Amino acid sequence: MDDEIIDMRGRFCLALDQIEECREFASLIPEVRSNLVYAKKEARSRDDVLAVDGRITVIQGMPRAAGKPRFGASSHMARLIIELRKVDPSVRAGVDFANTPHLAAWLEDYCRARGWIFSVIDRRGEPDEIKAAEGASMPWKVGEAVRAAGGRAPKIFYETGAVGKEPVSVLVGHDPLEVAGQICTLAKDYHEYRQTQNR
């Protein structure tokens, strides 16, 4: 096992521990479940991307990895990171989470306050020929996210739902420890915001 893989596995496991200890993140896990991904420096395919086998689910109100970290365990998020790296090679990690109209509006303000690049993918604009071609949606989606962000890789973006597709949000970063720290802080801040709204 080379040094890069040893380092990747260590960082990934520490990041996953952080997510599993964040109760507030459980409420942001979508129906399709979440995944944390981490790409090798020279990642070319999903087999170069470390992810949770079986995704991250909710058990007794807490986020829990369904399986162990494994290269090639993710399809959707792995392909997303690989596409985004074509625009910004420093992006190596990401996590997907829920999207609702309420959360979407809050996310935009949250990103603005932090100076983070934010964008939205409108799935209704996806051409029929892209929808029909296996694997063609991801390059289109990432292209739309980048276009909506003025040609830059967004820090957070979300896609509106299409027929039969659950809308999800994505947060990306340089490594999984950064991503885990940021998504846990976001989850806690959103939880606190919701609490104040309900008082």
Side-chain angles (χ1 to χ4, degrees):
M1 194 180 292
D2 66 28
D3 289 347
E4 183 186 13
I5 290 177
I6 292 168
D7 180 66
M8 284 181 70
R9 286 190 177 278
R11 287 175 180 273
F12 192 95
C13 289
L14 288 170
L16 192 55
D17 284 348
Q18 201 172 336
I19 287 173
E20 288 188 319
E21 289 166 11
C22 180
R23 181 178 294 277
E24 293 83 0
F25 182 65
S27 65
L28 295 186
I29 294 177
E31 290 296 321
V32 293
R33 299 313 181 209
S34 292
N35 213 333
L36 176 69
V37 294
Y38 189 21
K40 289 180 181 177
K41 288 175 186 168
E42 304 299 328
R44 294 285 179 268
S45 75
R46 60 182 280 191
D47 292 331
D48 297 321
V49 181
L50 191 59
V52 177
D53 205 354
R55 304 186 184 181
I56 301 166
T57 187
V58 181
I59 297 175
Q60 295 180 338
M62 296 295 287
R64 285 290 175 265
K68 292 183 177 180
R70 179 174 64 80
F71 283 96
S74 168
S75 172
H76 179 267
M77 280 295 291
R79 287 183 290 120
L80 183 149
I81 285 292
I82 285 168
E83 284 298 321
L84 203 55
R85 283 171 52 75
K86 293 175 183 176
V87 178
D88 184 352
S90 73
V91 172
R92 292 181 59 193
V95 64
D96 55 346
F97 58 104
N99 180 268
T100 64
H102 190 279
L103 176 59
W106 180 85
L107 273 179
E108 192 163 358
D109 291 338
Y110 188 82
C111 288
R112 191 180 298 118
R114 279 153 188 75
W116 289 355
I117 302 168
F118 172 81
S119 76
V120 181
I121 307 160
D122 186 349
R123 291 296 294 272
R124 293 172 299 181
E126 188 175 358
D128 289 338
E129 63 272 18
I130 299 277
K131 289 179 192 171
E134 184 67 32
S137 282
M138 190 58 74
W140 180 85
K141 284 198 302 188
V142 171
E144 284 295 293
V146 168
R147 185 187 59 76
R152 297 170 298 171
K155 175 70 179 174
I156 290 183
F157 57 98
Y158 72 83
E159 56 183 273
T160 57
V163 177
K165 301 284 186 183
E166 184 182 9
V168 294
S169 310
V170 176
L171 181 151
V172 299
H174 305 302
D175 82 4
L177 288 167
E178 174 194 339
V179 166
Q182 289 169 343
I183 197 63
C184 290
T185 299
L186 183 155
K188 287 170 183 173
D189 289 349
Y190 183 62
H191 177 76
E192 194 173 300
Y193 170 75
R194 291 304 300 266
Q195 296 290 97
T196 61
Q197 294 296 297
N198 293 334
R199 280 175 194 155

